[in-house]
Every structure is written in structure tokens, then in C-alpha cells.
Amino acid sequence: FVEVCTVVLDGGLERTVNITLQTLPGSATDGEDYDAVSVELVFNATVLRSCAEIPITDDPLVEPPETFNVTIITDDPPIIIDPPTSIVTIVDNDIAIFQFTELNYSAIEADGFLCEAIELVSGVLTFPISVTVVTNPSLSPTAATPDVDYDPNPFPGVLIFPEESRPGTILRDNITIVDDNIVEMTEDFWLLAFITNPSDPASFVDGRDIAIGLIIDDDSLTIGLERPDYTVPEEGGFVEVCVNVSGGILSETVTVTLQTTQDSAIDGEDYNGTVVQLVFNATVRRSCADIPINDD
């Protein structure tokens, strides 16, 4: 409630005077934001101050400051009323609370986009409130690269929660993911959200204005021997064995161990056992090793 008082400022009273105090509409709504009153205040020689309480409604609505008027009137001509009207401003104590619906959002590269979402968790809106979502490169070793792995500009980017939105209302953003042919680790970037208009009565759940976007690679490659079998004349001195990479493009160096194992030929007599490291990367997709053959 709000207590509104009327006082006698000049002169004394030798008789009883009745004054009517009543509310008049403003931007606040009678029956929703406050309860209208019309009350009679009585003054006399000993009562020079009188008050009335006007009920204020504590609702869950998120509203801007609203006003209504209080006026005093009397039919007693000698009584001068100054000022006749006061303005009562209702300052809302409710704010809209938002959050990312998840701490992590993931998408397979081939999907082409990553969908993230903002949820209104508290408050009923009486006017639209906008939330802006932006991306930011992470600081992790597996950070995705803007404009290479993803479009850093979410669409639509600004999520407008309309009037009458209630807790549980969810709006979604899409972030374009680049589907390349590169074999990569799962890569990540940050998602940041904030209230577009800082003066709006809104905020985020602590720590839930940040989320992580994960890009899961679906590219694959095959590393294998170039031929299933090799035949070499003993006097040739060696056999060249090659390993090929097929499929996706390597984003980092990969090392493969090629080694011989004894079968019917005897290591040290018919051939010399070999263990060699073959290195592959984005430009090296074929690598070979020579295995010595003994001409006995």
C-alpha cells in the first residue's frame, strides 16, 4: 500500500471539515496495479493531519514505472485546497530473468548449423524485451576459427521476447557451421548473451549468460597399404612398400608406424626386419619405405 496524507497548512479550525480523497487513473490500471479508493477525511481543531492507505498490487508482471493520481475535493467554500492533486508512482520490483537453456550446444558439421536457445525463467512481460547473442573465439587448444569453421554472426542474433511472454518461453538462434572436408578434433567457441537495452528491467541467471558451442567433425579418412601383396626378385635388393591416405584432409600431422613381421621368409636371412615412422599431413598423403631383401 501507499499512505497518502492531507494536512492543514494555514489557519486553525473551529469546526469540523470533511474532505474527500480519491484516486484517478493514470498509466497504472485500477484493479490490476492498485485498488481505487474514495475516502472521507475529517479535520477539526485537534485533527490537522489525516491519511488514507491505497492498496498496491504486488504482481509478477515486469513493468515500467506506472502512475495514478490522488485528488482531494470539498464542498466547503472557505477551504482552499493547494495543491489539489498528487501523483503516485509505482516502481516495479519484478525483473525478467533469462538463461541459456543449456551449458553446451553441439552440432555435427554436416548439419550446417548449430541451434542455441534463450529461455525466460522468471517474470511476465508487459512490454517486449530483447536479448542479443554473440559468439566469441574460445581460448582452448581446440578453438574453432571464425569464418572458417563457423559464421560468427548468429541469426537472427537479437531475440525479441514479446509482450505477455511468460516463464518457459524459449526463442532460438542458429549459427551457420562450415562443412569442410578436413578431419579435425571437436572444436569449440563461446556463446555470450546480454540484455539488448541495459535500461530494461532484466538480467540473467548467474553464469547462464555464457554457453559453449561444439562442432563435431564427421569427416573421415583411411590410411592403408597401397597394395595387398608385393612380389620382388631376390636380386632386386629391396622392396618399396607404400602407405596411402584417402578420404578427408588432415588438419594436423599423423604418424604411422610401418613394420615387418616374420612369416615363411626369415628375418636376417631373407630380408632385414624394418620399423619406420611414416609422416602424413595435409599435403603428404603417400609415404614409402624400402625393406632390404638379401640375395643369398
Side-chain angles (χ1 to χ4, degrees), residues 48-279:
L48 300 179
R49 183 176 186 271
S50 186
C51 302
E53 292 181 354
I54 303 172
I56 304 297
T57 303
D58 185 10
D59 56 34
L61 303 178
V62 179
E63 305 166 294
E66 298 175 302
T67 64
F68 63 91
N69 300 312
V70 177
T71 188
I72 49 177
I73 56 176
T74 181
D75 294 330
D76 199 331
I79 304 300
I80 298 174
I81 298 175
D82 184 30
T85 303
S86 291
I87 298 174
V88 177
T89 301
I90 303 174
V91 179
D92 193 31
N93 63 339
D94 299 293
I95 66 172
I97 306 294
F98 297 90
Q99 68 175 11
F100 276 112
T101 57
E102 306 289 342
L103 294 175
N104 299 301
Y105 298 91
S106 62
I108 297 173
E109 195 175 85
D111 291 343
F113 67 91
L114 180 146
C115 181
E116 44 81 10
I118 300 292
E119 177 184 11
L120 173 63
V121 297
S122 178
V124 178
L125 305 189
T126 60
F127 60 95
I129 292 182
S130 298
V131 174
T132 298
V133 178
V134 298
T135 64
N136 203 49
S138 81
L139 301 179
S140 74
T142 56
T145 303
D147 294 315
V148 174
D149 298 307
Y150 67 98
D151 185 341
N153 303 304
F155 180 81
V158 177
L159 303 175
I160 303 175
F161 286 78
E163 181 180 348
E164 299 186 359
S165 293
R166 295 180 176 274
T169 301
I170 295 175
L171 298 182
R172 293 175 171 81
D173 248 344
N174 286 327
I175 297 168
T176 300
I177 303 299
V178 177
D179 185 11
D180 54 33
N181 194 36
I182 301 173
V183 179
E184 304 163 294
M185 303 283 288
T186 296
E187 297 176 308
D188 57 85
F189 58 91
W190 287 342
L191 295 161
L192 309 176
F194 56 89
I195 306 303
T196 307
N197 183 354
S199 65
D200 282 344
S203 66
F204 275 82
V205 174
D206 189 30
R208 296 300 296 272
D209 55 347
I210 299 175
I212 296 175
L214 299 172
I215 303 174
I216 302 172
D217 188 44
D218 59 350
D219 298 300
S220 62
L221 55 80
T222 300
I223 299 178
L225 290 166
E226 189 173 69
R227 295 167 53 185
D229 57 69
Y230 294 82
T231 301
V232 59
E234 191 175 81
E235 69 274 14
F238 69 91
V239 58
E240 184 184 59
V241 177
C242 296
V243 175
N244 286 339
V245 173
S246 60
I249 300 171
L250 285 170
S251 61
E252 57 187 36
T253 298
V254 173
T255 301
V256 173
T257 300
L258 185 147
Q259 66 181 31
T260 57
T261 57
Q262 184 171 296
D263 194 15
S264 59
I266 300 174
D267 181 9
E269 295 183 6
D270 300 307
Y271 71 98
N272 293 336
T274 300
V275 178
V276 64
Q277 304 293 318
L278 304 180
V279 178

